[in-house]
Amino acid sequence: MKTEDILWGIAPIGWRNDDIPEIGAENTLQHLLSDIVVAGFQGTEVGGFFPEAKILNKELELRNLKIAGQWFSSFIIRDGIEKVEQDFHQYCKFLQEVRADVAVVSEQTYSVQGTDKNVFDEKPYFTDEEWDVLCSGLNRLGEISGEYGLNLVYHHHMGTGVQTLSEIDRLMENTNPNVVHLLYDTGHIYVSDGDYMTLLHKHINRIRHVHFKDARREIMEKCRKEGKSFQQSFLMGMFTVPGDGCVDFTEVYQTLLEYNYTGWIVVEAEQDPSVAHPLEYALMARKYINEKLNPLVKR
């Protein structure tokens, strides 16, 4: 394993939040990208406020940064694959133009992540028929993303129908491993199941993209006890960057190295930038990576 086999990125969500646009609205694209350079990361994912490909590419090239991928909210169960395909083609075309590597897909039918519902107890569940529709639809989207040179990586997520290990198992078992891959997110699986290593070991061969998200246990338990929504939870500070919470990323990173993972590891932490200064937390994450994770790589 060589250090260049892994690309380190940091998500724009620490600067601006797509779900709550007013949060961090003062942070421009140029500000965000320049902070990423200062913090020593190689790239980022596309945020909802990012401009058209031509403008974005110029800003990236000026700073020698890369794009890893972008979130895509699929509604395969609600709308049918034919309708979703149309939007997905446009999405993939944009990612191809900005030379991204992955298409990050998350099924949002019945999702409560953008509502005021209790994210811990009111997550949705799919019927057997809906599972069949979802898996066949994802296979189709995976074929399409491949046409654009992109790997489709499925993002398991709190408040959705694919959140727990058993649900991820079902998705992996019923989709084509050649075209549907997995985004492994430490924070989401930890908050959901209280365990992040089982998923990593079980589906390491399907993982093509990684999010390093940490969690603050005390705040998480407080949010769970009070029945908070997803947005309320992250505004209270449930999530943070690696090294500031309770996830042991040395164990995670060592496992990724042992399995010869290659690709992006993107630091991601939904936080209010007026409370958690974006550059400060980006530098905190970089310090943790440099001091705790990089020494694990055999030279």
Side-chain angles (χ1 to χ4, degrees), residues 72 74-89 105 107 132-144 152:
F72 180 83
S74 66
F75 291 90
I76 297 170
I77 294 171
R78 187 191 73 184
D79 298 339
I81 188 59
E82 293 77 11
K83 185 177 187 304
V84 175
E85 275 189 38
Q86 298 173 16
D87 294 334
F88 194 67
H89 271 288
V105 177
E107 178 65 16
D132 291 341
V133 170
L134 174 60
C135 291
S136 63
L138 287 173
N139 285 339
R140 177 63 189 133
L141 295 186
E143 293 169 355
I144 293 171
L152 185 153

Side-chain angles (χ1 to χ4, degrees), residues 12 15 44 47 53 70 121 125 166 189 217 230 277-278 282 287 293:
W15 284 260
T44 187
Q70 181 183 17
D121 291 336
Y125 295 89
S166 62
I189 195 61
R217 185 181 288 112
F230 181 73
H277 190 288
K287 185 173 187 288
L293 303 187

Side-chain angles (χ1 to χ4, degrees), residues 45-289:
E45 294 180 349
V46 175
F49 62 96
F50 279 31
E52 62 183 66
K54 183 178 179 181
I55 297 173
L56 177 57
N57 282 336
K58 180 174 181 178
E59 297 294 339
L60 292 168
E61 289 164 5
L62 286 170
R63 298 166 177 82
N64 194 30
L65 292 175
K66 300 177 181 178
I67 290 294
Q70 181 183 17
W71 172 280
F72 180 83
S73 293
S74 66
F75 291 90
I76 297 170
I77 294 171
R78 187 191 73 184
D79 298 339
I81 188 59
E82 293 77 11
K83 185 177 187 304
V84 175
E85 275 189 38
Q86 298 173 16
D87 294 334
F88 194 67
H89 271 288
Q90 291 301 311
Y91 158 87
C92 287
K93 185 175 184 296
F94 172 78
L95 286 185
Q96 184 183 54
E97 290 174 353
V98 298
R99 298 181 286 277
D101 295 308
V102 296
V104 178
V105 177
S106 181
E107 178 65 16
Q108 292 298 296
T109 299
Y110 313 135
S111 172
V112 302
Q113 70 183 75
T115 73
D116 59 1
K117 290 186 177 181
N118 180 344
V119 73
F120 300 96
D121 291 336
E122 296 184 77
K123 74 172 291 301
Y125 295 89
F126 300 145
T127 65
D128 290 344
E129 182 181 1
E130 288 170 337
W131 270 105
D132 291 341
V133 170
L134 174 60
C135 291
S136 63
L138 287 173
N139 285 339
R140 177 63 189 133
L141 295 186
E143 293 169 355
I144 293 171
S145 65
E147 295 170 5
Y148 292 88
L150 301 162
N151 280 323
L152 185 153
V153 292
Y154 190 89
H155 193 336
H156 57 95
H157 202 286
M158 287 293 297
T160 73
V162 186
Q163 170 186 302
T164 65
L165 177 60
S166 62
E167 290 163 344
I168 298 167
D169 287 346
R170 184 166 184 173
L171 189 83
M172 294 293 96
E173 290 165 6
N174 291 282
T175 51
N176 182 349
N178 295 316
V179 297
V180 177
H181 312 286
L182 183 64
L183 186 162
Y184 169 66
D185 188 301
T186 53
H188 281 282
I189 195 61
Y190 174 69
V191 174
S192 172
D193 290 20
D195 166 33
Y196 47 87
M197 292 305 298
T198 303
L199 170 60
L200 178 58
H201 285 292
K202 195 168 189 178
H203 295 298
I204 186 68
N205 292 327
R206 297 288 289 275
I207 295 170
R208 293 291 183 276
H209 198 55
V210 174
H211 280 175
F212 270 14
K213 187 198 305 284
D214 211 338
R216 299 181 175 100
R217 185 181 288 112
E218 289 184 6
I219 296 177
M220 177 185 72
E221 292 306 327
K222 178 178 174 62
C223 291
R224 190 188 305 275
K225 183 178 180 180
E226 296 178 0
K228 297 296 185 182
S229 70
F230 181 73
Q231 292 184 1
Q232 289 170 335
S233 296
F234 78 68
L235 288 174
M236 286 178 64
M238 182 171 74
F239 293 125
T240 186
V241 298
D244 191 43
C246 57
V247 173
D248 180 6
F249 288 92
T250 61
E251 184 180 17
V252 175
Y253 192 58
Q254 184 66 56
T255 301
L256 289 168
L257 293 174
E258 289 171 359
Y259 280 99
N260 295 312
Y261 172 79
T262 60
W264 285 93
I265 297 178
V266 177
V267 170
E268 184 187 55
E270 291 96 332
Q271 298 194 90
D272 184 345
S274 67
V275 176
H277 190 288
L279 180 56
E280 179 184 356
Y281 277 79
L283 289 168
M284 188 187 303
R286 170 47 68 185
K287 185 173 187 288
Y288 179 82
I289 292 166

